[in-house]
Amino acid sequence: CFQCVELCWLERPSFQGTKRNSVPGGMDRDGTTELLPGETVVKEGKAAILFPSANEVFYNPVQEFNRDLTCAVITEYARELLSQKGVRLVVPGEKERVVVSLSEESQEMEEVQEGEQKQGLEAPVAVVGEPCEQGLRVLEGLAASGLRSVRFALEVPGLKSVTANDCSARAAALIARNAQYNGISHLLKASQRDASILMYEARGRKDRYDVIDLDPYGSPAPFVDAAVQAVSDGGLLCVTCTDMAVMAGNCGETCYNKYGSVSIKAKYCHEMALRIILHSLDQRAGVYQRYIEPLLSISADFYIRVFVRVRTGQAKAKHSASKQALVYNCVGCGSFHLQRMGKRISTGPPVGPSCEHCGQRHQLGGPIWAEPIHNTEFVQKVLSAVSGNPSRFGTSRRIEGMLSMVTEELEDVPFYYTLDGLSSTVRCNTPSLLQFRSALLHAGYRVSLSHACKNAVKTDAPPSAIWDIMRCWEKNHPVKREKLSETSPAFQILSTEPNLQACFTVRQDANPQSRRRQLVRFQENPHANWGPKARARAGGAPPDLDDRRKQLQNKRKKPTADTSNLKNFPCKKFRQGLCSQGEDCCYSHEPQQEKDTGATME
C-alpha cells in the first residue's frame, strides 16, 4: 500500500482516506469511467490519481514536497510573466492580489485593485482548471502516472496547455484516464513519445514550451540537450536528479561522463551536486548561444532540484566560462579553494603542491557553477505566497522552512564547512553552532547556514581563519597530542600557533531567524524504507519485494544460518584447486562434468 512519508502530510486534516482500493465496476469521481479491478485511487493536493496495484507505472509518494514546491514556483513564474500582459491570476485560498504593471518611462509601480477598471476595461483573469489564451505551455517529459501534470492543471492558474509525455504505452494510457478522471481533458493531453525526440521537434520558436519539467528515474543527462533547445526564451526549466551516488563523489569519472564535471566526495557534496547540474545545463545551453539564470536550487532528501530560466543571447553566452570554477579539495583537512575559469576573473592557481595547513595533497574537481544558485527576490515571492496561503499544499510548513533558509544563505559564497568535520579533523570536542558562528562574526566575517546540510557553516572566512578558530577552541578543550601521529592533519594543524584570537561569546545575531522561529527545515525519517522506490517494471513488482529487501540487508556481513542448500552449488575454490576445507566445506566438491552428465541421463 502507499504510505505518505512527508512530515507535513501527516498533519493534514484530510490524511485519513487519502487512499482507497476500488472494486470492479466502480465509477470515478465524475461517473464516466469505470475503475479497473485492483486499481488504487491516490489523492495528493487537488488531484486524485488512478494507480495500478502492481509497480507497472512509477510513483513515489516521497516527492510530494517536490511536486508542491514545483506548483508554487510555476505559479509565481506565471504570475510574473502574465502580469506583464495585464492578466491577473486567481489562486484558490489566496487573498486578492494586485496586478502590477511597470511603466517603461518612470518605472513606477501601479496597483489596480479588484473591481477597478483600467481604461474602461477589466483585467483578464486566469483561474485554475481552465485554459488561458495568453497562458503558459507546459511539458512534463517523463510523466509516469501523470500526477504532476494533473496537479499543474488543477492547482496552477494561467496555463494554456499541459502535455504529459511518457514512452511507456501503459503510462500514456494511464495519463489519459487520469486526465478524464479529474475532468481536465480539455487542458491536459497525454503523449506517448520519446522525450528527447518530442523536445527536439519543438525547437522552433513558435513550438517551444514555456515550462519544461524533467523528473527522471536517475540522471536527466540524456534529456538536457533537447530540453535547453525546446524551452522558450526566458522559459522555465525544472530538473530533478536522483543519482546522488554519482553526483556526491562516489563515482567521479561517471559524473564526468554524464555532466562534464568531476564530483568530489566531501562534506559539501550536496551543494556541489547542485552546482554540477547547473554547470551542465549552462554548458549545453551555451552550444546554442543560450545561457541560464538559476531561480532556485535545493537539495532535499535523496535528490536535488533546480529551477532555471533559459535565455538567448550570444554576448552573454560568451561570458558563461567566467561563471565556472575548478575546485581544489584537500584530502587531509578538507580545506577547499576555487579556481575561476575564463578571462574575466581567472587568476593563478590558489594552492601549492600540498596543503599549507596539513601538508596533504589536493584533489581536483569540477568544473562547477560558481555564481549564485538562487534568485533571492524570486524565492522571497514564492515564500510569501506559500506562507500567506498555508492550506494550499500539504508540505507548506516544510516549504516555508526550506525557502527561509535559502533566503538567509550567503549568495556569493560557494560551499560550506561542517562542525563535525572540523572537529573530527583536529580530534577535539565539537563547539556549538552558536559559538562557532559567533567566533566568525567577532572576527569580522559573514556567516550563514545552508539548506543542504543541518550542521553546515557557510562563510567568507578563508581556511586559515577557520583553523585559527579551531586552534583557539582546542586550547580551551585540549586533546591528547601524544596520541596524534606526526603525519596526521590534526598534528600539523595544532602545531601552528593561531594568528587570530577567537572569541566564543555568543552573539544575538548568531542565531538566524529560521532557527529562532523553529521552522521545519530538515525532513525527519518517518519510517523505514521511505527513500527511493524501485523502478517501474512491465510485469509489476514481485509480491515479496519487502521480504527480499529484509533478507538481503547486510548479506555480506551476516553469516548464513542455513547451509543445507549450499551443497547444490559447486565450490569455486575446489574447481581452482584452492579449497582447504575438504569434506567440511559447505559447497559441493562433485565434478561439474559428471554432475551435468548424470542430470542429462535422468
Side-chain angles (χ1 to χ4, degrees):
C1 68
F2 295 98
Q3 296 179 348
C4 180
V5 297
E6 290 290 341
L7 182 63
C8 300
W9 179 290
L10 300 177
E11 301 172 357
R12 299 177 65 181
S14 60
F15 177 72
Q16 299 295 333
T18 57
K19 175 185 72 67
R20 64 179 175 87
N21 293 328
S22 65
V23 296
M27 304 299 290
D28 71 348
R29 64 201 301 181
D30 59 4
T32 59
T33 304
E34 291 188 1
L35 304 184
L36 300 178
E39 274 190 333
T40 302
V41 179
V42 179
K43 294 184 179 180
E44 182 180 296
K46 302 296 183 182
I49 300 298
L50 305 177
F51 195 76
S53 57
N55 190 31
E56 298 179 354
V57 179
F58 184 77
Y59 167 72
N60 192 352
V62 178
Q63 295 207 28
E64 184 195 3
F65 169 75
N66 186 336
R67 291 183 281 267
D68 286 352
L69 181 61
T70 303
C71 289
V73 169
I74 295 180
T75 300
E76 291 310 306
Y77 171 74
R79 194 195 308 275
E80 179 181 316
L81 212 61
L82 296 183
S83 65
Q84 301 174 3
K85 304 177 182 180
V87 180
R88 180 169 60 90
L89 266 62
V90 177
V91 180
E94 188 177 71
K95 295 182 179 179
E96 292 296 333
R97 301 186 63 155
V98 298
V99 176
V100 180
S101 60
L102 295 178
S103 174
E104 296 182 358
E105 298 180 357
S106 60
Q107 296 293 323
E108 295 179 355
M109 306 294 291
E110 179 185 2
E111 298 183 353
V112 182
Q113 300 286 347
E114 181 187 15
E116 292 183 353
Q117 296 182 352
K118 183 178 181 181
Q119 298 178 355
L121 297 175
E122 292 185 356
V125 176
V127 297
V128 296
E130 296 296 332
C132 176
E133 286 299 325
Q134 299 176 311
L136 309 180
R137 297 178 63 242
V138 181
L139 168 66
E140 184 184 4
L142 308 155
S145 64
L147 170 59
R148 190 182 300 257
S149 295
V150 171
R151 292 196 57 186
F152 290 164
L154 292 175
E155 301 179 28
V156 180
L159 303 183
K160 184 176 182 179
S161 65
V162 180
T163 302
N165 177 77
D166 200 283
C167 63
S168 170
R170 299 189 181 187
L174 184 61
I175 293 171
R177 297 188 68 240
N178 282 326
Q180 183 178 5
Y181 183 84
N182 289 271
I184 52 174
S185 298
H186 60 289
L187 185 59
L188 190 153
K189 303 300 180 183
S191 170
Q192 184 193 350
R193 300 285 303 280
D194 181 274
S196 297
I197 296 178
L198 178 62
M199 290 186 287
Y200 278 130
E201 293 178 352
R203 290 178 294 176
R205 292 189 177 182
K206 296 182 179 180
D207 300 328
R208 293 173 179 171
Y209 294 93
D210 300 296
V211 179
I212 295 181
D213 190 298
L214 296 177
D215 189 2
Y217 187 95
S219 171
F223 313 101
V224 168
D225 183 78
V228 296
Q229 298 181 70
V231 68
S232 61
D233 189 11
L236 181 64
L237 185 58
C238 317
V239 181
T240 300
C241 303
T242 58
D243 55 336
M244 292 304 296
V246 173
M247 305 192 72
N250 287 348
C251 308
E253 291 77 9
T254 304
C255 184
Y256 178 81
N257 293 337
K258 291 184 176 182
Y259 303 102
S261 178
V262 178
S263 58
I264 296 177
K265 194 171 185 178
K267 294 295 184 180
Y268 50 80
C269 60
H270 291 96
E271 182 177 334
M272 187 172 187
L274 289 172
R275 295 183 179 274
I276 286 176
I277 184 59
L278 291 177
H279 158 77
S280 180
L281 292 173
D282 189 63
Q283 193 273 333
R284 295 311 306 168
V287 175
Y288 310 102
Q289 299 180 358
R290 314 191 83 181
Y291 61 96
I292 67 168
E293 292 180 355
L295 297 181
L296 175 62
S297 308
I298 64 165
S299 171
D301 301 331
F302 54 86
Y303 62 90
I304 58 175
R305 179 76 164 168
V306 295
F307 303 87
V308 301
R309 297 188 72 170
V310 181
R311 298 188 182 274
T312 304
Q314 182 179 6
K316 291 189 176 181
K318 286 183 178 180
H319 300 321
S320 291
S322 300
K323 301 176 183 178
Q324 320 301 321
L326 298 174
V327 183
Y328 291 87
N329 181 77
C330 176
V331 299
C333 64
S335 301
F336 57 85
H337 302 267
L338 266 64
Q339 167 68 59
R340 284 288 192 134
M341 302 175 63
K343 296 182 179 179
R344 301 179 63 193
I345 313 177
S346 61
T347 58
V351 297
S354 58
C355 178
E356 60 179 320
H357 307 291
C358 68
Q360 301 290 327
R361 63 179 179 87
H362 288 98
Q363 183 181 7
L364 184 62
I368 62 166
W369 178 266
E371 293 293 303
I373 61 177
H374 314 292
N375 185 321
T376 306
E377 181 180 357
F378 180 83
V379 174
Q380 190 62 52
K381 293 180 181 179
V382 179
L383 176 59
S384 300
V386 173
S387 59
N389 188 11
S391 60
R392 183 184 179 191
F393 302 117
T395 60
S396 292
R397 289 185 56 202
R398 189 183 177 192
I399 294 177
E400 183 180 359
M402 177 73 75
L403 297 186
S404 297
M405 291 198 67
V406 167
T407 58
E408 295 172 348
E409 288 184 6
L410 297 178
E411 297 181 1
D412 56 340
V413 178
F415 300 151
Y416 51 81
Y417 294 92
T418 60
L419 289 179
D420 58 332
L422 296 173
S423 302
S424 176
T425 300
V426 297
R427 302 292 191 268
C428 69
N429 296 335
T430 303
S432 69
L433 181 64
L434 296 183
Q435 287 176 319
F436 194 82
R437 285 172 56 91
S438 299
L440 289 168
L441 293 173
H442 282 300
Y445 298 106
R446 295 179 297 149
V447 62
S448 73
L449 299 179
S450 173
H451 78 278
C453 184
K454 189 172 184 179
N455 57 346
V457 176
K458 184 184 285 283
T459 177
D460 59 348
S464 57
I466 297 291
W467 294 122
D468 278 347
I469 294 177
M470 292 305 300
R471 292 185 186 103
C472 295
W473 176 261
E474 189 272 338
K475 289 182 178 296
N476 298 330
H477 305 79
V479 300
K480 297 180 179 179
R481 301 198 181 190
E482 61 274 8
K483 293 187 177 182
L484 299 178
S485 172
E486 295 184 359
T487 59
S488 64
F491 184 86
Q492 297 293 331
I493 292 174
L494 297 178
S495 298
T496 305
E497 288 296 322
N499 297 323
L500 170 69
Q501 297 302 321
C503 177
F504 294 97
T505 304
V506 176
R507 293 175 42 151
Q508 185 176 0
D509 55 348
N511 195 14
Q513 186 177 6
S514 62
R515 190 171 183 268
R516 196 181 309 125
R517 293 170 56 192
Q518 297 182 348
L519 298 179
V520 179
R521 301 174 298 164
F522 301 98
Q523 173 71 8
E524 298 180 1
N525 299 351
H527 57 79
N529 302 323
W530 71 280
K533 303 301 179 184
R535 184 188 295 269
R537 296 174 47 167
D544 58 343
L545 181 60
D546 291 337
D547 296 337
R548 281 184 56 83
R549 286 174 177 171
K550 295 179 181 179
Q551 179 182 357
L552 299 178
Q553 187 72 22
N554 297 325
K555 63 179 181 180
R556 293 180 177 86
K557 298 180 181 179
K558 297 180 180 179
T560 305
D562 185 12
T563 61
S564 59
N565 295 329
L566 297 182
K567 281 292 183 180
N568 298 327
F569 299 95
C571 179
K572 295 182 179 180
K573 292 187 177 181
F574 175 77
R575 294 170 60 184
Q576 300 172 359
L578 301 177
C579 183
S580 59
Q581 300 294 327
E583 296 181 355
D584 296 335
C585 182
C586 59
Y587 295 98
S588 173
H589 283 189
E590 296 181 8
Q592 187 69 16
Q593 184 176 1
E594 296 179 3
K595 185 176 180 180
D596 294 341
T597 303
T600 305
M601 293 176 62
E602 291 176 0

